[in-house]
Amino acid sequence: MRERVQIDTDILIIGGGTAGCLAAWEARQVGGPDLRITILEKANIRHSGSLAAGQNALNAYINQGTPEDWVAYVRYDLCGAPVREDILLSVGRELNETVAMMEKEGLPIKKDADGRYLARGKWNIEVNGRFLKPITAKMAEKAGAQVINWVYTVELLKKEGRCVGAVGFGVRDGRFYVIRAKAVLMAAGGAAGIWRPRYSGDAHHRIWYVPFNTGASYAMMKRIGAEMTGFDTRMIPVRLKDTYAPAGTLAIGANAKMVNALGEVFMLEKEEYVRMGGHTAPTPIRVWACYREIAAGRGPIFMDTTKGDPEKVAGLREQYLDMSPSTVLYWAAHDIDPAREPIEIEGDSPFLVGAHAACCGAWTIGTTRMTTVPGLFASGEALGQAPSRFISGSWTCGRIAGRNMVKWIEENGIPLAELDPEEIDALEEKTFAPLARWSKQQFFTNGKPVLGILPKEMEEHMQNVMEDYCGGRVRHFAVSEPYLNIARKRIHRLRRDQLKYLTVPDLYELQQAWDVINRLDCCQLVIEHISYRKETRYLGYVNRTDYPERNDAEYDCFICSVWNPDTDELTFKRYPYEQLVPGDRTKETI
């Protein structure tokens, strides 16, 4: 048995990112000085997660209109698809207050000559965001949370139907951590690296979304029995080619328009695209339009910065230094001047997210942020069916989750659970199994195990399956049941037959092993959810060639699944759409 660290706490937060840090802060405000708050972070909380490289804007802020108008926009931007309007309204009503609070904590927000926040479109404001993560982490530190860095959370603990804690391992010290908690918040990010990236070798994770978000949120919640939702809406971002920096900085920040190789502003000049919203069409439609132009022989696609706002184009390098310095270096290395030539863009690999422009995550009860497993809450990318919350919305969601966790503990008198020693022993063995297999291996002369599979080998196999058979870039994001059947069979074989051969030599590689285990669980969610939804609702994100039309009569609803560990199958259920903001869901209100 390895050295164990046992911790008792009131609130356990898994993931010290955007939502997790603000959840700790809010829990302290409502729970008082005696509340015990613990954060598990697999890296270092001051420089981890999606905010580590910074950001130049907050993409959720109500510059005009009302929270209801913002919800109408979010709904429209996902093609009028089902979204949790109740959750989004709860966020919208506190968005601006949260941003003002973060400004007081040191976040530099740009302002115009009259002292108002500098708007970048209807729902964005510009910031100097290179220190976003340290400022966010400071909120957890001010809350007096017990922050445990360098601990990889492996599994949630469940007793008598309630989530009662978690286990993990120290990525540097190799110790086994057992944490008992009265309430647990999952906020460990979304999932990258499931589909095959464009680059290979040392650059195989040269992608837009942070590669260290590997689906742990979704996989752990799935394995504990939470209802999961939204995995038929993987996000496909259109980004700058080669550096994969956000293209919105060019579109919104510099007023640049998308053009094809013929110089046509196709979203404004072609009637078929104009009918779908033109240059402000929903995000999935803009992805679809780009690839339709390429398929028609009119690629590549560019953002025409030569005709953008000259002053704003001149400031693009400064903008990208706040979040993607590699873009500035790339332009310098290739003698690219956005004032003289348009910037090429393309679709990146699909990603699983819940706080960006997609809906992946756990189904939650009302606006409490508690999942269908009592005691387990979700926020940030882990919260399902509430897209386009971004940074400021995830801050806000973290706050809402924090106060609801305290409320649930106090109102129900929740105690710490007594854990089964045999169950904990079994979890420890499971956690370190890939490491234990290494000492029993024989090796080829190149150092690779004879009867073992390395994490990178399994990851590449998984990515190839998902790319070829589950709507990757090579298929222009199209998919059909025959392809899904092959993906299902091959991912099942990896999960059920091959994981027992996964082996690693050290703690660093043990992280990679659990990354691929979690990604494979996410693959199952994606394959089965896309298969279940027999329609094309998110044109551009998931293009079903066998069901090319939208079918509101059958699928204008929320689709959730629960995993059965005995059969390794997902059982599906549907919830009706509840529209709270009146009006046509396929139109904005302002």
Side-chain angles (χ1 to χ4, degrees):
M1 186 173 72
R2 286 179 170 265
E3 180 183 352
R4 288 186 181 176
V5 178
Q6 301 198 20
I7 298 170
D8 288 345
T9 189
D10 296 315
I11 286 179
L12 172 62
I13 298 170
I14 300 173
T18 316
C21 290
L22 270 291
W25 186 87
E26 187 75 13
R28 176 64 68 210
Q29 308 313 303
V30 299
D34 296 330
L35 186 74
R36 296 172 296 178
I37 306 169
T38 301
I39 299 177
L40 293 184
E41 168 57 55
K42 71 178 182 180
N44 185 291
I45 195 171
R46 291 184 63 81
H47 305 288
S48 62
S50 300
L51 296 187
Q55 182 62 273
N56 63 11
L58 299 180
N59 293 330
Y61 187 82
I62 300 175
N63 284 310
Q64 56 184 293
T66 65
E68 287 76 13
D69 293 318
W70 176 70
V71 172
Y73 157 74
V74 172
R75 180 174 73 188
Y76 162 80
D77 194 55
L78 210 59
C79 306
V83 295
R84 288 286 301 272
E85 295 190 21
D86 56 341
I87 292 176
L88 290 169
L89 280 170
S90 72
V91 173
R93 289 165 181 152
E94 297 187 36
L95 258 180
N96 290 17
E97 171 195 323
T98 301
V99 170
M101 179 183 76
M102 294 304 289
E103 183 184 25
K104 290 180 181 178
E105 295 297 331
L107 176 64
I109 301 178
K110 296 181 181 181
K111 297 181 180 178
D112 61 20
D114 297 322
R116 295 188 295 265
Y117 290 163
L118 187 60
R120 199 185 76 167
K122 285 186 284 190
W123 312 112
N124 305 9
I125 57 174
E126 294 188 20
V127 300
N128 289 314
R130 67 191 68 182
F131 298 116
L132 263 172
K133 188 57 204 291
I135 292 169
T136 300
K138 186 176 69 174
M139 302 301 288
E141 296 166 359
K142 289 184 66 174
Q146 177 189 24
V147 178
I148 306 176
N149 292 313
W150 313 114
V151 173
Y152 193 115
T153 307
V154 170
E155 293 287 10
L156 297 168
L157 298 175
K158 188 177 184 181
K159 185 171 183 180
E160 297 176 352
R162 177 168 68 91
C163 183
V164 297
V167 297
F169 66 93
V171 301
R172 293 189 169 182
D173 60 26
R175 296 190 291 180
F176 186 59
Y177 287 75
V178 181
I179 299 94
R180 294 195 304 166
K182 297 176 181 178
V184 178
L185 175 65
M186 181 58 71
I194 288 177
W195 284 263
R196 185 174 64 230
R198 185 170 181 268
Y199 296 103
S200 59
D202 290 342
H204 73 292
H205 280 315
R206 174 65 267 180
I207 52 181
W208 161 70
Y209 194 54
V210 57
F212 310 111
N213 284 0
T214 59
S217 291
Y218 309 137
M220 283 190 279
M221 291 192 295
K222 172 204 160 193
R223 292 194 293 261
I224 201 177
E227 289 185 18
M228 305 303 292
T229 188
F231 287 88
D232 46 1
T233 59
R234 76 267 176 87
M235 179 185 177
I236 298 164
V238 173
R239 295 293 182 254
L240 275 62
K241 188 175 181 296
D242 295 327
T243 66
Y244 295 107
T249 299
L250 306 180
I252 303 174
N255 297 328
K257 300 293 189 293
M258 281 197 303
V259 298
N260 59 25
L262 303 180
E264 297 171 325
V265 186
F266 54 91
M267 294 302 293
L268 295 179
E269 296 177 8
K270 299 192 176 185
E271 181 60 29
E272 58 193 311
Y273 302 139
V274 172
R275 286 198 307 268
M276 302 174 90
H279 75 283
T280 59
T283 297
I285 298 300
R286 298 199 301 272
V287 176
W288 173 77
C290 285
Y291 276 86
R292 195 165 185 271
E293 290 296 296
I294 292 170
R298 295 187 288 269
I301 307 300
F302 302 90
M303 299 299 297
D304 191 1
T305 47
T306 66
K307 296 178 182 176
D309 183 311
E311 183 178 349
K312 292 181 178 179
V313 169
L316 283 174
R317 290 178 178 82
E318 180 184 351
Q319 290 274 322
Y320 279 116
L321 282 174
D322 269 341
M323 63 174 175
S324 180
S326 62
T327 296
V328 180
L329 294 173
Y330 183 86
W331 287 353
H334 293 81
D335 193 27
I336 294 173
D337 182 352
R340 291 188 289 107
E341 60 183 294
I343 303 301
E344 186 177 353
I345 59 175
E346 68 173 359
D348 199 354
S349 299
F351 301 100
L352 304 182
V353 292
H356 288 70
C359 294
C360 304
W363 182 262
T364 49
I365 309 303
T367 59
T368 64
R369 306 318 193 252
M370 187 161 72
T371 72
T372 54
V373 176
L376 176 61
F377 293 72
S379 195
E381 303 279 31
L383 175 65
Q385 298 293 357
S388 297
R389 288 170 286 126
F390 302 107
I391 296 169
S392 46
S394 293
W395 280 335
T396 305
C397 262
R399 294 181 61 202
I400 295 170
R403 76 174 72 116
N404 277 302
M405 293 169 79
V406 173
K407 180 180 179 182
W408 183 75
I409 291 171
E410 292 179 345
E411 289 184 350
N412 294 281
I414 300 299
L416 291 172
E418 292 298 325
L419 304 180
D420 181 353
E422 292 185 1
E423 179 186 356
I424 300 302
D425 290 345
L427 284 170
E428 179 180 335
E429 181 179 355
K430 177 183 176 182
T431 296
F432 294 100
L435 196 59
R437 294 186 194 112
W438 189 266
S439 62
K440 302 173 185 177
Q441 290 290 329
Q442 292 180 319
F443 298 90
F444 291 111
T445 55
N446 64 2
K448 290 188 177 181
V450 175
L451 297 177
I453 302 173
L454 300 175
K456 192 172 189 304
E457 294 171 329
M458 189 166 286
E459 179 187 88
E460 289 175 351
H461 191 165
M462 172 199 72
Q463 290 174 341
N464 286 336
V465 171
M466 296 298 285
E467 182 73 13
D468 292 341
Y469 300 107
C470 195
R473 180 175 14 207
V474 70
R475 304 289 181 205
H476 282 196
F477 313 115
V479 70
S480 65
E481 202 64 30
Y483 279 107
L484 290 171
N485 285 337
I486 297 173
R488 178 183 292 114
K489 178 181 177 181
R490 296 190 178 181
I491 292 299
H492 182 272
R493 183 170 181 268
L494 284 174
R495 293 179 59 249
R496 307 303 291 182
D497 299 336
Q498 299 296 307
L499 280 179
K500 62 187 175 185
Y501 298 109
L502 194 61
T503 184
V504 298
D506 53 41
L507 291 170
Y508 173 77
E509 289 291 331
L510 186 60
Q511 295 180 74
Q512 313 304 306
W514 276 100
D515 285 349
V516 77
I517 291 169
N518 289 330
R519 284 181 170 125
L520 282 166
D521 272 336
C522 290
C523 290
Q524 184 190 29
L525 287 168
V526 172
I527 293 166
E528 300 303 336
H529 277 244
I530 291 177
S531 177
Y532 187 89
R533 186 179 281 281
K534 300 188 186 308
E535 64 166 355
T536 294
R537 179 163 293 268
Y538 311 102
L539 184 64
Y541 279 4
V542 180
N543 308 321
R544 288 211 58 163
T545 57
D546 49 352
Y547 297 97
E549 303 299 325
R550 181 167 167 159
N551 182 354
D552 283 341
E554 292 289 330
Y555 296 106
D556 188 19
C557 60
F558 299 108
I559 293 173
C560 298
S561 69
V562 177
W563 179 63
N564 184 328
D566 297 325
T567 63
D568 192 31
E569 293 178 349
L570 301 182
T571 300
F572 283 89
K573 60 174 65 176
R574 305 184 190 193
Y575 293 108
Y577 184 82
E578 184 178 358
Q579 183 172 349
L580 301 179
V581 177
D584 186 342
R585 286 161 47 191
T586 63
K587 289 183 172 59
E588 299 180 82
T589 52
I590 61 173

